[in-house]
Amino acid sequence: MSRPATRPHSLAPGMLLVATPSLLDPNFSETVVMLLDTDDGALGVVLNRPSEVPVDEVLPGWQEVVEAPAVIFRGGPVSIDGALAVARLRDPGQTPPGYRPVTETWGLLDLDSPVELVHGALTGVRIFAGYAGWAVGQLEAEVEEDSWDVVPGSAADLFAPRTGGLLREVLRRQPGELAWRSTRPLDPDMN
């Protein structure tokens, strides 16, 4: 299937990478990745791979501020022993300690920050074990070879309560051929 005739969006924090059917890497098959940084290569987190590990088993106290489901998400294959948190601000004009903005309404949160100092300033947190990372030029090459579609993202994507259908939901709201891809069966031979 050919690429859409429209020019792809640029790689920037807050954009989504949607795995195309031609992406065969099992780490990313059927995933949606939110880009967090694109300054020196790229860094993002997989949004639709919740684990079964409750947040309170790993980070006691944080379960009160995380969005449902209150589990650790598998953010990617890099540094899976570490965790990073993405948080949505209650008021963009009031940032809590340990918060670094990525967009106007959400950013990264240092998990060493005392939860009681950030609780009232946030409307939600999602915690990821590991992340997805690309060297300079690597992600651009993967986009060029049709492994990823690059589309605008939102805080709603980051904090979706049910992530099983996120890939199809993101594609459905896109123009043209990308919306059509949302109806494509996972295995075209089963059609």
Side-chain angles (χ1 to χ4, degrees):
M1 185 167 297
S2 65
R3 300 274 304 160
T6 59
R7 183 135 175 88
H9 293 280
S10 64
L11 297 171
M15 297 298 285
L16 294 174
L17 302 174
V18 180
T20 68
S22 64
L23 180 60
L24 302 178
D25 182 340
N27 289 306
F28 297 110
S29 178
E30 294 291 316
T31 61
V32 177
V33 175
M34 178 67 79
L35 287 175
L36 304 175
D37 190 356
T38 57
D39 284 341
D40 188 22
L43 180 137
V45 288
V46 175
L47 301 182
N48 57 338
R49 293 236 171 119
S51 75
E52 294 183 11
V53 178
V55 167
D56 61 344
E57 269 186 28
V58 179
L59 296 162
W62 285 93
Q63 69 275 7
E64 296 173 23
V65 296
V66 296
E67 290 282 326
V71 297
I72 302 290
F73 277 68
R74 292 184 297 261
V78 181
S79 296
I80 58 172
D81 292 337
L84 83 102
V86 177
R88 182 172 34 196
L89 291 175
R90 183 173 309 282
D91 177 356
Q94 296 182 340
T95 58
Y99 177 85
R100 183 178 66 113
V102 173
T103 71
E104 195 173 299
T105 58
W106 63 268
L108 295 170
L109 182 66
D110 184 345
L111 288 167
D112 288 331
S113 301
V115 70
E116 54 277 356
L117 291 181
V118 300
H119 189 286
L122 306 173
T123 61
V125 173
R126 181 135 298 157
I127 299 174
F128 298 89
Y131 62 90
W134 293 266
V136 174
Q138 182 183 3
L139 183 54
E140 291 83 352
E142 290 180 17
V143 169
E144 185 65 31
E145 70 187 15
D146 195 33
S147 292
W148 299 102
D149 288 313
V150 182
V151 300
S154 73
D157 300 322
L158 265 174
F159 300 102
R162 285 183 236 127
T163 61
L166 184 62
L167 184 136
R168 291 186 189 279
E169 288 174 30
V170 168
L171 287 175
R172 196 173 296 123
R173 69 178 189 238
Q174 304 308 313
E177 184 182 321
L178 289 179
W180 176 82
R181 279 192 195 177
S182 73
T183 63
R184 180 183 184 275
L186 296 178
D187 182 356
D189 293 334
M190 300 300 291
N191 195 6

